[in-house]
Coordinates of all heavy atoms in Angstrom, one line a residue:
M902 N 107.7 97.3 63.5 CA 107.4 98.6 64.1 C 106.2 98.5 65.0 O 105.3 97.7 64.8 CB 107.1 99.6 63.0 CG 108.2 99.8 61.9 SD 109.8 100.5 62.6 CE 109.4 102.2 62.6
L903 N 106.2 99.3 66.0 CA 105.1 99.3 67.0 C 103.8 99.6 66.3 O 102.8 98.9 66.7 CB 105.4 100.3 68.1 CG 106.5 99.9 69.1 CD1 106.8 101.1 70.0 CD2 106.0 98.8 70.0
S904 N 103.7 100.5 65.4 CA 102.5 100.9 64.8 C 101.9 99.7 64.0 O 100.7 99.4 64.0 CB 102.7 102.0 63.8 OG 103.6 101.7 62.8
R905 N 102.8 98.9 63.3 CA 102.3 97.7 62.6 C 101.8 96.6 63.6 O 100.8 96.0 63.3 CB 103.5 97.2 61.8 CG 103.2 96.1 60.9 CD 102.4 96.5 59.7 NE 102.0 95.4 58.8 CZ 100.8 95.2 58.3 NH1 99.8 96.0 58.6 NH2 100.6 94.2 57.5
L906 N 102.5 96.5 64.7 CA 102.1 95.5 65.7 C 100.7 95.8 66.2 O 99.8 94.9 66.4 CB 103.1 95.4 66.8 CG 104.4 94.9 66.5 CD1 105.4 95.0 67.7 CD2 104.3 93.4 66.1
G907 N 100.4 97.1 66.4 CA 99.1 97.5 66.9 C 98.0 97.2 65.9 O 97.0 96.8 66.2
Q908 N 98.4 97.5 64.6 CA 97.4 97.2 63.5 C 97.0 95.7 63.5 O 95.9 95.3 63.1 CB 97.9 97.7 62.2 CG 98.0 99.2 62.1 CD 98.9 99.6 60.9 OE1 99.4 98.8 60.1 NE2 99.1 100.9 60.7
L909 N 98.1 94.9 63.7 CA 97.9 93.4 63.6 C 97.3 92.8 64.9 O 97.1 91.6 64.9 CB 99.2 92.8 63.3 CG 99.8 93.1 61.9 CD1 101.2 92.6 61.7 CD2 98.9 92.7 60.8
G910 N 97.1 93.6 65.9 CA 96.5 93.1 67.2 C 97.5 92.5 68.1 O 97.1 91.8 69.1
H911 N 98.8 92.8 67.9 CA 99.8 92.3 68.9 C 99.8 93.2 70.1 O 99.3 94.3 70.1 CB 101.2 92.3 68.3 CG 101.4 91.3 67.2 ND1 102.1 90.1 67.5 CD2 101.0 91.2 66.0 CE1 102.2 89.4 66.4 NE2 101.5 90.0 65.5
I912 N 100.4 92.6 71.1 CA 100.5 93.3 72.4 C 102.0 93.2 72.8 O 102.7 92.3 72.4 CB 99.6 92.7 73.4 CG1 99.3 93.7 74.5 CG2 100.1 91.4 74.0 CD1 97.9 93.5 75.1
V913 N 102.5 94.2 73.5 CA 103.9 94.2 73.9 C 104.0 93.7 75.3 O 103.3 94.1 76.2 CB 104.5 95.6 73.8 CG1 106.0 95.6 74.2 CG2 104.4 96.1 72.3
R914 N 104.9 92.7 75.5 CA 105.0 92.1 76.8 C 106.4 92.3 77.4 O 107.4 92.1 76.7 CB 104.8 90.6 76.7 CG 105.0 89.8 77.9 CD 104.6 88.3 77.8 NE 105.3 87.6 76.7 CZ 104.9 86.5 76.2 NH1 103.9 85.8 76.7 NH2 105.6 85.9 75.2
L915 N 106.5 92.8 78.6 CA 107.8 93.1 79.3 C 107.9 92.2 80.5 O 106.9 92.1 81.2 CB 107.9 94.6 79.7 CG 108.5 95.5 78.7 CD1 107.6 95.9 77.6 CD2 108.9 96.8 79.5
R916 N 109.1 91.8 80.8 CA 109.4 91.1 82.1 C 110.8 91.3 82.4 O 111.7 91.5 81.5 CB 109.0 89.7 82.0 CG 109.8 88.8 81.1 CD 109.3 87.4 81.1 NE 109.1 87.0 79.7 CZ 108.2 86.1 79.3 NH1 107.4 85.6 80.1 NH2 108.2 85.8 78.0
C917 N 111.1 91.3 83.7 CA 112.4 91.6 84.2 C 113.0 90.2 84.7 O 112.4 89.6 85.6 CB 112.5 92.6 85.3 SG 114.1 92.9 85.9
N918 N 114.1 89.8 84.1 CA 114.7 88.6 84.5 C 115.6 88.7 85.7 O 116.2 87.7 86.2 CB 115.5 87.9 83.3 CG 114.6 87.4 82.2 OD1 113.5 86.9 82.5 ND2 115.0 87.5 81.0
Y919 N 115.8 89.9 86.1 CA 116.6 90.2 87.3 C 115.8 90.0 88.6 O 116.1 89.2 89.5 CB 117.3 91.5 87.3 CG 118.3 91.8 88.4 CD1 119.5 91.2 88.4 CD2 117.9 92.6 89.4 CE1 120.4 91.4 89.4 CE2 118.8 92.8 90.5 CZ 120.0 92.2 90.5 OH 120.9 92.4 91.5
C920 N 114.7 90.8 88.7 CA 113.9 90.7 89.9 C 112.6 89.9 89.6 O 111.8 89.8 90.5 CB 113.5 92.1 90.4 SG 112.5 93.0 89.2
R921 N 112.5 89.3 88.5 CA 111.4 88.4 88.2 C 110.0 89.1 88.2 O 109.0 88.5 88.5 CB 111.3 87.2 89.1 CG 112.6 86.4 89.1 CD 112.7 85.7 87.8 NE 113.9 84.9 87.7 CZ 114.4 84.4 86.6 NH1 113.8 84.6 85.5 NH2 115.6 83.8 86.6
T922 N 110.0 90.4 87.8 CA 108.8 91.2 87.7 C 108.1 90.9 86.4 O 108.8 90.8 85.4 CB 109.1 92.7 87.9 OG1 109.6 92.9 89.2 CG2 107.8 93.5 87.7
G923 N 106.8 90.8 86.4 CA 106.1 90.7 85.2 C 105.6 89.3 84.9 O 105.7 88.4 85.8
P924 N 105.1 89.0 83.8 CA 105.1 89.9 82.7 C 104.0 91.0 82.8 O 103.0 90.9 83.4 CB 104.7 89.0 81.5 CG 103.9 87.9 82.1 CD 104.4 87.7 83.5
R925 N 104.3 92.2 82.2 CA 103.4 93.3 82.1 C 103.1 93.5 80.6 O 104.0 93.4 79.8 CB 104.0 94.6 82.7 CG 104.1 94.5 84.2 CD 104.5 95.8 84.8 NE 104.3 95.8 86.2 CZ 105.2 96.3 87.1 NH1 106.2 96.9 86.6 NH2 105.0 96.2 88.4
F926 N 101.9 93.9 80.3 CA 101.4 94.0 79.0 C 101.1 95.4 78.6 O 100.5 96.1 79.5 CB 100.2 93.1 78.7 CG 100.5 91.6 78.9 CD1 100.3 91.0 80.1 CD2 101.0 90.9 77.8 CE1 100.6 89.7 80.3 CE2 101.3 89.5 78.0 CZ 101.1 88.9 79.2
Y927 N 101.5 95.9 77.4 CA 101.3 97.2 77.0 C 100.7 97.2 75.6 O 101.0 96.4 74.8 CB 102.6 98.0 77.0 CG 103.2 98.1 78.3 CD1 104.1 97.1 78.8 CD2 103.0 99.2 79.2 CE1 104.7 97.2 80.0 CE2 103.6 99.3 80.4 CZ 104.5 98.3 80.8 OH 105.1 98.3 82.1
R928 N 99.9 98.2 75.3 CA 99.4 98.4 74.0 C 100.5 99.2 73.2 O 101.1 100.1 73.7 CB 98.1 99.2 73.9 CG 96.9 98.5 74.4 CD 95.7 99.4 74.3 NE 94.5 98.7 74.8 CZ 93.7 98.0 74.1 NH1 93.8 97.9 72.8 NH2 92.6 97.4 74.7
P929 N 100.8 98.7 71.9 CA 101.8 99.4 71.2 C 101.6 100.9 71.0 O 102.6 101.6 71.1 CB 101.7 98.7 69.8 CG 101.2 97.3 70.1 CD 100.2 97.5 71.2
E930 N 100.4 101.3 70.9 CA 100.1 102.8 70.7 C 100.5 103.6 71.9 O 100.9 104.7 71.8 CB 98.7 103.0 70.3 CG 97.6 102.5 71.3 CD 97.1 101.1 70.9 OE1 97.8 100.3 70.3 OE2 95.9 100.9 71.2
D931 N 100.4 103.0 73.1 CA 100.9 103.7 74.3 C 102.4 103.8 74.3 O 102.9 104.9 74.7 CB 100.4 103.0 75.6 CG 98.9 103.1 75.8 OD1 98.3 104.0 75.2 OD2 98.4 102.4 76.6
L932 N 103.1 102.8 73.9 CA 104.6 102.9 73.8 C 105.0 103.9 72.8 O 106.1 104.5 72.9 CB 105.1 101.5 73.6 CG 104.9 100.5 74.8 CD1 105.5 99.1 74.4 CD2 105.5 101.0 76.1
I933 N 104.3 104.0 71.7 CA 104.6 105.0 70.6 C 104.7 106.4 71.2 O 105.5 107.2 70.9 CB 103.7 104.9 69.4 CG1 103.9 103.5 68.7 CG2 103.8 106.1 68.5 CD1 102.9 103.2 67.6
V934 N 103.7 106.7 72.1 CA 103.7 108.0 72.7 C 105.0 108.2 73.5 O 105.5 109.3 73.5 CB 102.4 108.1 73.7 CG1 102.5 109.4 74.4 CG2 101.2 108.0 72.9
L935 N 105.5 107.2 74.1 CA 106.7 107.4 75.0 C 108.0 107.3 74.2 O 108.9 108.2 74.4 CB 106.7 106.2 76.0 CG 105.7 106.3 77.1 CD1 105.9 105.1 78.1 CD2 105.9 107.6 77.9
V936 N 108.1 106.4 73.3 CA 109.5 106.2 72.7 C 109.4 106.4 71.2 O 110.5 106.3 70.5 CB 110.0 104.8 73.0 CG1 110.2 104.7 74.5 CG2 109.1 103.7 72.5
G937 N 108.3 106.7 70.6 CA 108.2 106.8 69.1 C 107.9 105.5 68.5 O 107.9 104.5 69.1
D938 N 107.7 105.5 67.2 CA 107.3 104.3 66.5 C 108.6 103.6 66.1 O 109.3 103.9 65.1 CB 106.5 104.7 65.2 CG 105.9 103.4 64.6 OD1 106.0 102.3 65.2 OD2 105.4 103.5 63.4
R939 N 109.0 102.6 66.9 CA 110.2 101.9 66.8 C 110.0 100.4 66.6 O 108.9 99.9 66.9 CB 111.1 102.1 68.0 CG 111.5 103.5 68.3 CD 112.2 103.6 69.6 NE 112.6 104.9 69.9 CZ 113.8 105.3 69.6 NH1 114.7 104.5 69.1 NH2 114.2 106.6 69.8
E940 N 111.0 99.7 66.2 CA 111.0 98.2 66.2 C 111.1 97.8 67.6 O 111.8 98.4 68.4 CB 112.1 97.7 65.4 CG 112.1 98.0 63.9 CD 113.3 97.5 63.2 OE1 114.0 96.6 63.7 OE2 113.5 98.0 62.1
V941 N 110.4 96.7 67.9 CA 110.4 96.2 69.3 C 111.8 95.8 69.7 O 112.2 96.0 70.9 CB 109.4 95.0 69.4 CG1 109.6 94.2 70.7 CG2 108.0 95.4 69.3
D942 N 112.6 95.2 68.8 CA 114.0 94.8 69.2 C 114.8 96.0 69.6 O 115.7 95.9 70.4 CB 114.6 94.2 68.0 CG 114.1 92.8 67.7 OD1 113.4 92.2 68.7 OD2 114.3 92.2 66.7
R943 N 114.5 97.2 69.1 CA 115.3 98.4 69.5 C 114.9 99.0 70.8 O 115.5 99.9 71.3 CB 115.1 99.5 68.4 CG 115.6 99.0 67.1 CD 116.0 100.2 66.2 NE 117.0 99.8 65.4 CZ 118.0 100.6 65.0 NH1 118.1 101.8 65.4 NH2 119.0 100.2 64.2
L944 N 113.8 98.4 71.4 CA 113.4 98.9 72.7 C 114.2 98.2 73.8 O 114.2 98.6 75.0 CB 111.9 98.6 73.0 CG 110.9 99.4 72.1 CD1 109.5 99.0 72.3 CD2 111.1 100.9 72.3
R945 N 114.9 97.1 73.5 CA 115.7 96.4 74.5 C 116.7 97.4 75.0 O 117.3 98.1 74.3 CB 116.3 95.2 73.9 CG 115.3 94.1 73.7 CD 116.0 92.7 73.4 NE 115.0 91.7 73.3 CZ 114.4 91.4 72.1 NH1 114.8 92.0 71.0 NH2 113.4 90.5 72.0
R946 N 116.9 97.4 76.3 CA 117.9 98.2 77.0 C 117.5 99.7 77.0 O 118.3 100.5 77.4 CB 119.3 98.0 76.5 CG 119.8 96.6 76.6 CD 121.2 96.5 76.1 NE 121.6 95.1 76.1 CZ 122.3 94.5 77.1 NH1 122.6 95.2 78.1 NH2 122.6 93.2 77.0
R947 N 116.3 100.0 76.5 CA 115.8 101.4 76.6 C 114.8 101.5 77.7 O 114.6 102.5 78.3 CB 115.2 101.8 75.3 CG 116.1 102.3 74.2 CD 115.4 103.0 73.1 NE 114.6 104.1 73.5 CZ 115.0 105.4 73.5 NH1 116.2 105.6 73.1 NH2 114.2 106.3 73.9
L948 N 114.1 100.4 77.9 CA 113.0 100.4 78.9 C 113.6 99.9 80.3 O 114.4 99.0 80.3 CB 111.8 99.6 78.5 CG 111.2 100.0 77.2 CD1 110.1 99.0 76.8 CD2 110.6 101.4 77.3
T949 N 113.2 100.6 81.3 CA 113.7 100.3 82.7 C 112.6 99.5 83.5 O 111.5 99.8 83.4 CB 114.0 101.6 83.4 OG1 114.9 102.4 82.6 CG2 114.6 101.4 84.7
C950 N 113.1 98.6 84.2 CA 112.2 97.8 85.1 C 111.8 98.8 86.3 O 112.6 99.4 86.9 CB 112.9 96.6 85.7 SG 112.0 95.8 87.0
E951 N 110.5 98.9 86.5 CA 110.0 99.8 87.5 C 110.3 99.4 88.9 O 110.3 100.2 89.8 CB 108.5 100.0 87.4 CG 108.1 100.7 86.1 CD 106.6 100.9 86.0 OE1 105.9 100.7 87.1 OE2 106.1 101.1 84.9
V952 N 110.6 98.1 89.1 CA 110.9 97.6 90.4 C 112.4 97.7 90.8 O 112.7 98.3 91.8 CB 110.4 96.1 90.5 CG1 110.8 95.5 91.9 CG2 108.9 96.0 90.3
C953 N 113.3 97.2 90.0 CA 114.7 97.2 90.3 C 115.5 98.3 89.6 O 116.6 98.5 90.0 CB 115.3 95.8 90.0 SG 115.4 95.4 88.3
G954 N 114.9 98.9 88.6 CA 115.5 100.0 87.9 C 116.6 99.6 86.9 O 117.3 100.5 86.4
R955 N 116.7 98.4 86.6 CA 117.7 97.9 85.7 C 117.1 97.8 84.3 O 115.9 97.6 84.1 CB 118.2 96.5 86.1 CG 118.8 96.5 87.5 CD 119.4 95.2 87.7 NE 120.6 95.0 87.0 CZ 121.8 94.7 87.5 NH1 121.9 94.5 88.8 NH2 122.8 94.5 86.7
K956 N 118.0 98.1 83.3 CA 117.6 98.0 81.9 C 118.1 96.7 81.2 O 117.5 96.2 80.3 CB 118.2 99.2 81.1 CG 117.6 100.5 81.5 CD 118.2 101.6 80.6 CE 117.5 102.9 80.9 NZ 118.0 104.0 80.1
D957 N 119.2 96.2 81.7 CA 119.9 95.1 81.0 C 119.2 93.7 81.2 O 119.6 92.8 80.5 CB 121.4 95.0 81.4 CG 121.6 95.2 82.9 OD1 120.6 95.6 83.6 OD2 122.7 94.9 83.4
Y958 N 118.2 93.6 82.0 CA 117.6 92.3 82.2 C 116.1 92.3 81.7 O 115.4 91.4 81.9 CB 117.6 91.9 83.7 CG 119.0 91.4 84.2 CD1 119.9 92.3 84.6 CD2 119.3 90.1 84.1 CE1 121.2 91.9 85.0 CE2 120.5 89.7 84.5 CZ 121.5 90.6 85.0 OH 122.7 90.2 85.4
V959 N 115.7 93.4 81.1 CA 114.3 93.6 80.7 C 114.1 92.8 79.4 O 114.8 93.1 78.4 CB 113.9 95.0 80.6 CG1 112.5 95.1 79.9 CG2 113.9 95.7 81.9
E960 N 113.3 91.9 79.4 CA 112.9 91.1 78.1 C 111.7 91.7 77.5 O 110.7 92.1 78.3 CB 112.6 89.7 78.5 CG 113.8 88.8 78.8 CD 114.5 88.3 77.5 OE1 113.8 88.0 76.6 OE2 115.8 88.3 77.5
I961 N 111.7 91.8 76.2 CA 110.5 92.4 75.6 C 110.2 91.6 74.3 O 111.1 91.2 73.6 CB 110.7 93.9 75.2 CG1 109.5 94.5 74.6 CG2 111.9 94.1 74.4 CD1 109.6 96.0 74.5
D962 N 108.9 91.3 74.1 CA 108.5 90.6 72.9 C 107.1 91.1 72.6 O 106.5 91.9 73.3 CB 108.6 89.1 73.0 CG 107.7 88.5 74.1 OD1 107.1 89.3 74.8 OD2 107.7 87.3 74.2
S963 N 106.5 90.6 71.5 CA 105.2 91.1 71.1 C 104.4 89.9 70.6 O 104.2 89.7 69.4 CB 105.4 92.1 69.9 OG 106.2 91.5 68.9
P964 N 103.8 89.1 71.5 CA 103.0 88.0 71.1 C 101.7 88.4 70.6 O 101.2 89.5 70.9 CB 102.9 87.2 72.5 CG 102.9 88.3 73.5 CD 103.9 89.3 73.0
L965 N 101.2 87.5 69.8 CA 99.8 87.7 69.3 C 98.9 86.7 70.1 O 99.1 85.5 70.1 CB 99.7 87.3 67.8 CG 98.3 87.4 67.2 CD1 97.8 88.9 67.3 CD2 98.3 87.0 65.7
L966 N 98.1 87.3 71.0 CA 97.4 86.5 71.9 C 96.1 85.9 71.3 O 95.6 86.5 70.4 CB 97.0 87.3 73.2 CG 98.1 88.0 73.9 CD1 97.6 88.8 75.1 CD2 99.1 87.0 74.5
T967 N 95.7 84.8 71.8 CA 94.5 84.2 71.3 C 93.3 85.0 71.9 O 93.5 85.7 72.8 CB 94.3 82.7 71.7 OG1 94.2 82.7 73.2 CG2 95.5 81.9 71.3
G968 N 92.1 84.8 71.3 CA 91.0 85.5 71.9 C 90.7 85.2 73.3 O 90.3 86.0 74.1
Q969 N 91.0 83.9 73.7 CA 90.7 83.5 75.1 C 91.8 84.2 76.0 O 91.4 84.7 77.1 CB 90.8 82.0 75.2 CG 90.4 81.5 76.6 CD 90.4 80.0 76.6 OE1 90.8 79.3 75.7 NE2 89.9 79.4 77.7
E970 N 93.0 84.3 75.6 CA 94.1 84.9 76.3 C 93.8 86.4 76.5 O 94.0 87.0 77.6 CB 95.5 84.7 75.7 CG 96.0 83.3 75.8 CD 97.2 83.1 74.9 OE1 97.3 83.8 73.8 OE2 98.1 82.4 75.3
R971 N 93.3 87.0 75.5 CA 93.0 88.5 75.5 C 92.0 88.8 76.6 O 92.0 89.9 77.1 CB 92.5 89.0 74.2 CG 93.6 88.9 73.1 CD 93.1 89.5 71.8 NE 93.2 90.9 71.8 CZ 94.3 91.6 71.5 NH1 95.4 90.9 71.2 NH2 94.3 92.9 71.5
Q972 N 91.1 87.9 76.9 CA 90.0 88.2 77.8 C 90.6 88.2 79.3 O 90.0 88.7 80.2 CB 88.9 87.1 77.7 CG 88.1 87.3 76.4 CD 87.0 86.3 76.3 OE1 86.9 85.3 77.1 NE2 86.2 86.4 75.3
S973 N 91.7 87.5 79.5 CA 92.3 87.5 80.9 C 93.5 88.3 81.1 O 93.9 88.5 82.3 CB 92.6 86.0 81.2 OG 93.6 85.5 80.3
V974 N 94.0 88.9 80.1 CA 95.3 89.7 80.2 C 94.9 91.1 80.7 O 94.0 91.8 80.2 CB 96.0 89.8 78.9 CG1 97.0 90.9 78.9 CG2 96.7 88.5 78.6
I975 N 95.6 91.6 81.7 CA 95.5 93.0 82.2 C 96.6 93.8 81.6 O 97.7 93.5 81.7 CB 95.6 93.0 83.7 CG1 94.4 92.2 84.3 CG2 95.6 94.5 84.2 CD1 94.5 92.1 85.8
V976 N 96.1 94.9 80.8 CA 97.0 95.7 80.1 C 97.2 97.0 80.9 O 96.3 97.6 81.4 CB 96.5 96.0 78.7 CG1 97.4 97.0 77.9 CG2 96.2 94.8 77.9
R977 N 98.5 97.5 80.9 CA 98.8 98.8 81.6 C 98.6 99.8 80.5 O 99.2 99.8 79.5 CB 100.2 98.8 82.0 CG 100.5 97.7 83.1 CD 101.9 98.0 83.6 NE 101.8 98.8 84.8 CZ 102.8 99.4 85.4 NH1 104.0 99.4 84.9 NH2 102.6 100.1 86.5
R978 N 97.6 100.7 80.8 CA 97.3 101.8 79.8 C 98.0 103.1 80.3 O 98.1 103.4 81.5 CB 95.8 102.0 79.7 CG 95.0 100.9 79.2 CD 95.5 100.4 77.8 NE 95.8 101.4 76.8 CZ 94.9 101.8 75.9 NH1 93.7 101.3 75.9 NH2 95.2 102.8 75.1
L979 N 98.5 103.8 79.3 CA 99.1 105.1 79.6 C 98.1 106.1 79.9 O 97.2 106.4 79.1 CB 99.9 105.5 78.4 CG 100.7 106.8 78.5 CD1 101.8 106.7 79.5 CD2 101.3 107.2 77.2
V980 N 98.2 106.7 81.1 CA 97.2 107.7 81.5 C 97.7 109.1 81.1 O 96.9 109.9 80.5 CB 97.0 107.7 83.1 CG1 96.1 108.8 83.5 CG2 96.5 106.3 83.5
R981 N 98.9 109.4 81.4 CA 99.5 110.7 80.9 C 101.0 110.6 81.1 O 101.5 109.8 81.8 CB 98.9 111.9 81.7 CG 99.3 111.8 83.2 CD 98.6 113.0 83.9 NE 98.7 112.8 85.4 CZ 99.7 113.1 86.1 NH1 100.7 113.8 85.6 NH2 99.7 112.9 87.4
V982 N 101.7 111.6 80.5 CA 103.1 111.7 80.6 C 103.4 113.0 81.3 O 103.0 114.0 80.8 CB 103.8 111.6 79.3 CG1 105.3 111.8 79.4 CG2 103.5 110.3 78.5
S983 N 104.1 113.0 82.4 CA 104.4 114.2 83.1 C 105.8 114.6 82.8 O 106.7 113.7 82.7 CB 104.1 114.1 84.6 OG 105.0 113.2 85.2
T984 N 106.1 115.9 82.7 CA 107.4 116.4 82.5 C 108.0 116.9 83.8 O 107.3 117.8 84.4 CB 107.4 117.5 81.4 OG1 106.8 116.9 80.2 CG2 108.8 117.9 81.1
I985 N 109.2 116.5 84.1 CA 109.8 117.0 85.3 C 110.8 118.1 84.9 O 111.7 117.9 84.1 CB 110.6 115.9 86.0 CG1 109.6 114.8 86.4 CG2 111.4 116.4 87.2 CD1 110.3 113.5 87.0
R986 N 110.7 119.3 85.5 CA 111.6 120.4 85.3 C 112.7 120.3 86.2 O 112.6 120.3 87.4 CB 110.9 121.7 85.4 CG 109.8 121.9 84.4 CD 109.1 123.2 84.5 NE 110.1 124.3 84.4 CZ 109.9 125.5 84.9 NH1 108.8 125.8 85.5 NH2 110.8 126.5 84.7
R987 N 113.9 120.1 85.7 CA 115.1 120.0 86.5 C 116.1 121.1 86.2 O 116.5 121.2 85.0 CB 115.8 118.6 86.3 CG 117.0 118.4 87.2 CD 117.5 117.0 87.1 NE 117.2 116.4 85.7 CZ 117.5 115.1 85.4 NH1 118.0 114.3 86.3 NH2 117.2 114.7 84.2
P988 N 116.5 122.0 87.1 CA 117.4 123.0 86.8 C 118.8 122.5 86.6 O 119.3 121.6 87.3 CB 117.3 123.9 88.1 CG 116.9 123.0 89.2 CD 116.0 122.0 88.5
I989 N 119.5 123.1 85.7 CA 121.0 122.8 85.5 C 121.7 124.1 85.7 O 121.4 125.1 85.0 CB 121.2 122.3 84.1 CG1 120.4 121.0 83.9 CG2 122.7 122.1 83.8 CD1 120.4 120.4 82.5
W990 N 122.7 124.2 86.6 CA 123.4 125.4 87.0 C 124.8 125.3 86.5 O 125.4 124.3 86.3 CB 123.4 125.5 88.5 CG 122.0 125.5 89.2 CD1 121.3 124.5 89.6 CD2 121.2 126.7 89.3 NE1 120.1 124.9 90.1 CE2 120.0 126.3 89.9 CE3 121.3 128.0 89.0 CZ2 118.9 127.1 90.3 CZ3 120.3 128.9 89.4 CH2 119.1 128.4 90.0
R991 N 125.4 126.5 86.4 CA 126.8 126.6 86.2 C 127.3 127.8 87.0 O 126.6 128.7 87.4 CB 127.1 126.9 84.7 CG 126.6 128.2 84.1 CD 126.9 128.3 82.6 NE 126.0 129.3 82.0 CZ 126.4 130.5 81.9 NH1 127.5 130.9 82.3 NH2 125.5 131.4 81.3
E992 N 128.6 127.7 87.4 CA 129.2 128.7 88.2 C 129.9 129.7 87.2 O 130.5 129.3 86.2 CB 130.3 128.1 89.1 CG 129.8 127.0 90.0 CD 128.8 127.5 91.1 OE1 128.9 128.6 91.5 OE2 128.0 126.7 91.5
E993 N 129.8 131.0 87.6 CA 130.5 132.0 86.8 C 130.9 133.2 87.6 O 130.3 133.4 88.7 CB 129.6 132.5 85.6 CG 128.4 133.2 86.0 CD 127.6 133.7 84.8 OE1 127.5 132.9 83.8 OE2 127.1 134.8 84.9
L994 N 131.9 134.0 87.2 CA 132.3 135.1 87.9 C 131.3 136.2 87.9 O 130.6 136.4 86.9 CB 133.6 135.7 87.3 CG 134.8 134.8 87.5 CD1 136.0 135.3 86.7 CD2 135.2 134.7 89.0
L995 N 131.2 137.0 88.9 CA 130.3 138.1 89.0 C 130.7 139.1 88.0 O 130.5 139.7 87.2 CB 130.2 138.7 90.4 CG 128.9 138.5 91.2 CD1 129.1 139.2 92.5 CD2 127.7 139.1 90.4
Ligands
ZN926 ZN1 113.6 94.2 87.7

């Protein structure tokens, strides 16, 4: 579970094998805000590559980095989640 990974000091790593983007690193607690407290394996095919928009090539894992690695990794932090209001219409007789 993401919450357990965060407690243990793991980080979540994403990369896209289609457009070769990444790896990008995320804190588990930021992903919990977006998708809930889930197992990392269940995030596969749920997360979309921001560059090519595909889900089926996104690789995700949760390595435990060494202290030296942690000093050089740039983590993407969640700033805020915005909600987009999209109207849904239907046709009906007057
Ligand atoms: Zn991609």
Side-chain angles (χ1 to χ4, degrees):
M902 302 295 280
L903 285 168
S904 59
R905 186 74 180 131
L906 292 174
Q908 291 166 359
L909 295 173
H911 287 255
I912 202 152
V913 178
R914 177 171 57 192
L915 266 76
R916 67 182 132 213
C917 178
N918 287 329
Y919 186 76
C920 66
R921 301 290 177 197
T922 296
R925 288 188 170 139
F926 297 91
Y927 299 86
R928 288 183 183 265
E930 58 266 30
D931 286 345
L932 294 178
I933 290 172
V934 173
L935 289 178
V936 299
D938 192 10
R939 298 170 177 266
E940 294 176 20
V941 169
D942 287 345
R943 297 202 150 218
L944 294 178
R945 288 192 176 90
R946 299 181 187 268
R947 278 192 59 94
L948 300 177
T949 305
C950 173
E951 291 181 19
V952 176
C953 69
R955 300 185 72 124
K956 291 183 177 181
D957 44 347
Y958 286 87
V959 173
E960 285 277 324
I961 182 168
D962 63 356
S963 53
L965 181 59
L966 303 178
T967 65
Q969 190 173 8
E970 289 171 325
R971 294 183 82 82
Q972 291 178 353
S973 61
V974 164
I975 296 175
V976 179
R977 300 187 92 197
R978 296 306 312 267
L979 182 65
V980 176
R981 64 184 167 87
V982 179
S983 63
T984 302
I985 299 172
R986 294 181 60 200
R987 182 173 29 186
I989 299 171
W990 301 94
R991 65 184 160 91
E992 305 290 334
E993 65 178 42
L994 289 172
L995 247 182

